[in-house]
Amino acid sequence: MDRIPILKMGNLLLVSIQVDLHDQLALDLQDDLSERIVATGARGVLIDISALEIVDSFIGRMLSTIASLSRLLDAETVVVGMRPAVAITLVELGLYMPGVRTALTLEHGLALLGAEVRVSRSDEDEIDDAQGDREPDGLAGYAPVRAGPGGGEPATTGAASRGDGGRTGDR
Amino acid sequence: MTGMDSQRHPIVTESDVVRVRQVVRTLAVAAKLSLVDQTKMVTAASELARNTLVYGGGGEMMIDLVDSGRRRGVRAVFIDTGPGIPDLDLALTEGWTSGSGLGLGLTGSRRLVDEFAIDSSPGVGTTVRVVKWSR
Amino acid sequence: MDVGDVGDGWIEPLSERDEVLTRWVERVAGDLRARLSVPELQRELGEIYTALTVALTAGGTDLRAEQFGELRALLADLSSGRARQGFTPRETAGTVFALKEAATAVMEKRNVGYRDYVRFSEFIDELGLFTFETYVRTRDQVIVEQSNQLLELSTPVIKLWEGVLAVPLVGTLDSARTQMVMESLLEALVSTGSRHAIIDITGVGAVDTQVAQHLLKTVMAAQLMGADCIISGIRPQIAQTVVSLGIEFGEIVTKATLAEALALALRRDGFRFVRRAAGAEIR
């Protein structure tokens, strides 16, 4: 049984749906993604649907469910690349996918997640500072995401140290 | 309105729903529907095929190209012999849903097509006929 | 076919294909004054003549009958081709009517009776009317195509700033045009990777319920795709219509002018506007 591949990039998970989704494949993706979010401690999920020629209520609900699931697991989901014809059809269908954040392109999606995570990072800064046990290395884990909107540091440095150090830092 | 050789496709498994989408797309292209209209028709077919599978316990789709003299179009008919819909008016009420998304499937797909006719009797089954015309 | 039936006597003489066809081509070539070449006409009229005689031999003169399918198709091709090439209705139908005169000589030679000749003439009239109907239908299609092209021309999507697109709508908005705007704007957002769209309706005279719905749907579709959409230039009368129609503009951002909408889009992208101090050097 084939499955939709999930790529890890820094503290993000990247899913590009390239096939005509049948229902079981969609359900599998839901399961696989939540497992991977927990296993990798990812803070963001990007789902590229630019290859999808249609999104019906089933796929729309899948995207909503993934967004809610990942939010519970402390990761923000952004759906990118929805085609105009698909968007027009969804509006006509009355399916507005509440709770699903969208972005025009992968780049915009990265920027959106970058802004999100940066906010939560500065919150942690305050707490860490107050407790006086701030670990500079632990926070480096957010570097790839911070680089999103303006460009900046290469993504790989952060990704390497992210896995364990970052996780303990933010408890 | 005249129809040309009609095709018959079973809707018994989930992958049949995917095949229905592909068949409808091919005919929508042949009828020279615009990209947006193709997408609307394929989406409507996907909703209706899933209804046939999930609520009708399986069935089939008949599809053909139609010609009104001025415009071409695609006509798809979804037939099942399932439990039927007891209250059609309710099922077609905006925003109503059986709890598993049936409502959106019917009312939503009705908004996506140009012609929509439904016939359902409890215990006998449900037939939904939709047509999308080229602009 | 009932052989020997009164009125069918005109069919047999048409078997003198060469003679009739040659005259027919000559006549039509003369009428069209060399806008179509003789070999072209020979091929075109030759096919029609073949289909005609084959169908007549099969029996009956009802043009709607199955054996006339081929003939109908060829005549439809002829008239839609003529319509697109800009031939007049007279020239197009005249091509068919010329067959009457072309066949007169063989009819006389065979002593075709008056009654039979009238039948022949009626049949050709039928063919001519059919051709004319197809001609009109094709012209209608051409008009529709042209108005579609006009639609595309009249709704340009323009770039106001990096990442900011606008469509200024002018004139009367009908459903078809609004839908077209919606599609081309959304396509342009994708192809240029622009995050902001502005629909300016300053130049729009009136908005009805359907058009307002289309505008709303465009905004919602843009939002679904992850773009921001602002509607600008809503004049007081239109605002009143929208309110009195009970249309909910909901969370949709509206601005009085295109300038304000652009400023908002840029602010959302993090731009700040600062006026240079008086007297500062301008480069």
Side-chain angles (χ1 to χ4, degrees):
Chain A
M1 181 86 190
D2 47 0
R3 290 179 115 85
I4 311 275
I6 300 169
L7 307 176
K8 181 173 177 295
M9 199 173 81
N11 55 3
L12 299 178
L13 294 180
L14 185 63
V15 182
S16 184
I17 303 174
Q18 300 284 342
V19 294
D20 199 345
L21 275 180
H22 59 77
D23 299 3
Q24 190 55 45
L25 205 55
L27 294 173
D28 288 344
L29 176 62
Q30 234 164 267
D31 294 347
D32 292 353
L33 249 182
S34 29
E35 273 171 34
R36 284 295 294 275
I37 292 171
V38 174
T40 60
R43 302 297 302 274
V45 179
L46 278 164
I47 304 180
D48 168 33
I49 60 164
S50 60
L52 281 191
E53 289 182 338
I54 70 148
V55 171
D56 62 3
S57 60
F58 189 86
I59 301 171
R61 267 201 304 280
M62 173 201 79
L63 293 172
S64 291
T65 310
I66 287 178
S68 321
L69 274 177
S70 59
R71 198 164 297 133
L72 276 176
L73 300 169
D74 200 18
E76 192 64 34
T77 303
V78 178
V79 172
V80 303
M82 182 187 294
R83 296 184 180 191
V86 169
I88 291 171
T89 303
L90 283 178
V91 170
E92 207 70 58
L93 194 60
L95 198 78
Y96 305 109
M97 303 206 297
V100 179
R101 309 185 64 183
T102 53
L104 228 41
T105 62
L106 203 56
E107 254 182 326
H108 289 139
L110 277 172
L112 206 57
L113 283 175
E116 275 310 296
V117 179
R118 190 159 43 168
V119 170
S120 60
R121 193 195 74 130
S122 61
D123 290 343
E124 284 158 15
D125 276 355
E126 284 171 23
I127 297 164
D128 286 346
D129 283 343
Q131 294 178 342
D133 59 355
R134 187 175 167 215
E135 293 174 40
D137 274 346
L139 290 163
Y142 297 115
V145 181
R146 195 174 36 179
E153 300 132 73
T156 43
T157 51
S161 64
R162 169 76 185 91
D164 35 42
R167 204 62 188 169
T168 52
D170 66 32
R171 292 172 302 155
Chain B
M1 183 162 89
T2 57
M4 285 155 257
D5 25 30
S6 162
Q7 298 175 22
R8 182 187 292 261
H9 295 272
I11 303 172
V12 183
T13 66
E14 278 178 10
S15 47
D16 290 336
V17 178
V18 175
R19 184 151 340 105
V20 158
R21 293 203 285 252
Q22 288 157 355
V23 168
V24 174
R25 168 79 62 178
T26 308
L27 266 78
V29 171
K32 296 214 167 73
L33 263 57
S34 73
L35 181 62
V36 170
D37 287 340
Q38 286 172 32
T39 309
K40 285 181 179 175
M41 182 64 181
V42 175
T43 309
S46 184
E47 299 292 337
L48 295 172
R50 188 170 289 103
N51 279 355
T52 301
L53 179 67
V54 178
Y55 305 100
E60 61 179 11
M61 173 186 72
M62 312 271 283
I63 184 164
D64 57 1
L65 286 178
V66 285
D67 195 332
S68 74
R70 283 175 52 245
R71 300 184 296 174
R72 298 190 84 190
V74 190
R75 170 171 61 191
V77 186
F78 296 83
I79 306 156
D80 69 58
T81 51
I85 303 167
D87 190 342
L88 261 186
D89 291 339
L90 179 65
L92 288 172
T93 306
E94 289 293 322
W96 182 84
T97 165
S98 68
S100 1
L102 177 64
L104 189 63
L106 277 184
T107 56
S109 46
R110 177 158 69 168
R111 283 191 298 270
L112 294 177
V113 296
D114 298 321
E115 289 175 30
F116 183 97
I118 182 165
D119 185 20
S120 186
S121 4
V124 180
T126 304
T127 299
V128 183
R129 185 184 67 88
V130 293
V131 183
K132 186 91 189 161
W133 294 104
S134 61
R135 264 185 234 156
Chain C
M1 156 173 115
D2 299 327
V3 180
D5 196 6
V6 179
D8 284 345
W10 56 275
I11 294 177
E12 213 286 320
L14 291 177
S15 60
E16 291 195 37
R17 177 186 167 94
D18 288 346
E19 189 175 346
V20 180
L21 186 56
T22 312
R23 279 172 184 273
W24 193 18
V25 171
E26 274 170 16
R27 274 300 310 237
V28 175
D31 284 349
L32 301 183
R33 273 179 239 96
R35 275 190 287 163
L36 287 172
S37 71
V38 170
E40 254 178 300
L41 285 171
Q42 268 167 348
R43 187 191 51 75
E44 192 177 57
L45 301 183
E47 281 176 5
I48 291 174
Y49 199 83
T50 309
L52 172 72
T53 43
V54 166
L56 284 172
T57 319
T61 53
D62 183 0
L63 203 51
R64 286 163 303 180
E66 200 189 332
Q67 67 261 33
F68 286 100
E70 172 74 10
L71 179 65
R72 286 196 307 266
L74 287 169
L75 286 174
D77 282 353
L78 173 118
S79 45
S80 64
R82 294 284 201 276
R84 284 182 189 279
Q85 289 158 2
F87 287 90
T88 64
R90 171 185 285 266
E91 286 165 334
T92 307
T95 298
V96 174
F97 292 136
L99 181 54
K100 273 190 204 175
E101 203 184 293
T104 306
V106 289
M107 299 278 173
E108 275 173 2
K109 199 168 64 187
R110 302 283 194 105
N111 288 322
V112 171
Y114 170 70
R115 206 182 272 259
D116 285 348
Y117 187 80
V118 169
R119 283 291 196 86
F120 167 66
S121 177
E122 277 171 3
F123 181 73
I124 301 296
D125 289 348
E126 271 302 309
L127 295 188
L129 287 175
F130 176 81
T131 317
F132 190 66
E133 276 173 6
T134 322
Y135 180 91
V136 171
R137 210 159 35 225
T138 310
R139 284 289 281 261
D140 284 347
Q141 268 172 19
V142 171
I143 291 169
V144 170
E145 283 162 22
Q146 284 173 344
S147 57
N148 279 343
Q149 286 166 0
L150 260 181
L151 274 182
E152 279 164 41
L153 286 177
S154 62
T155 52
V157 178
I158 52 178
K159 177 176 164 181
L160 289 185
W161 200 273
E162 189 62 43
V164 186
L165 296 183
V167 253
L169 296 178
V170 179
T172 315
L173 278 186
D174 59 21
S175 241
R177 186 161 162 222
T178 323
Q179 229 162 325
M180 185 89 93
V181 172
M182 170 165 172
E183 291 174 26
S184 51
L185 177 64
L186 299 181
E187 287 292 346
L189 286 177
V190 174
S191 61
T192 60
S194 302
R195 228 171 62 75
H196 301 279
I198 301 171
I199 303 176
D200 183 78
I201 59 172
T202 311
V204 172
V207 169
D208 63 13
T209 319
Q210 262 207 324
V211 169
Q213 295 284 5
H214 279 306
L215 286 176
L216 278 176
K217 285 176 186 169
T218 310
V219 176
M220 290 192 278
Q223 284 169 349
L224 261 181
M225 291 166 60
D228 283 327
C229 196
I230 304 167
I231 296 183
S232 69
I234 301 184
R235 290 185 295 116
Q237 303 95 299
I238 290 182
Q240 277 183 8
T241 323
V242 168
V243 172
S244 65
L245 288 173
I247 299 162
E248 286 286 334
F249 262 56
E251 290 168 30
I252 286 160
V253 179
T254 54
K255 286 282 162 197
T257 64
L258 181 59
E260 283 172 65
L262 174 62
L264 173 63
L266 290 175
R267 272 202 306 278
R268 281 176 171 172
D269 261 2
F271 284 97
R272 237 162 24 106
F273 302 98
V274 181
R275 184 185 289 256
R276 188 183 291 101
E281 198 180 334
I282 298 170
R283 294 178 180 273

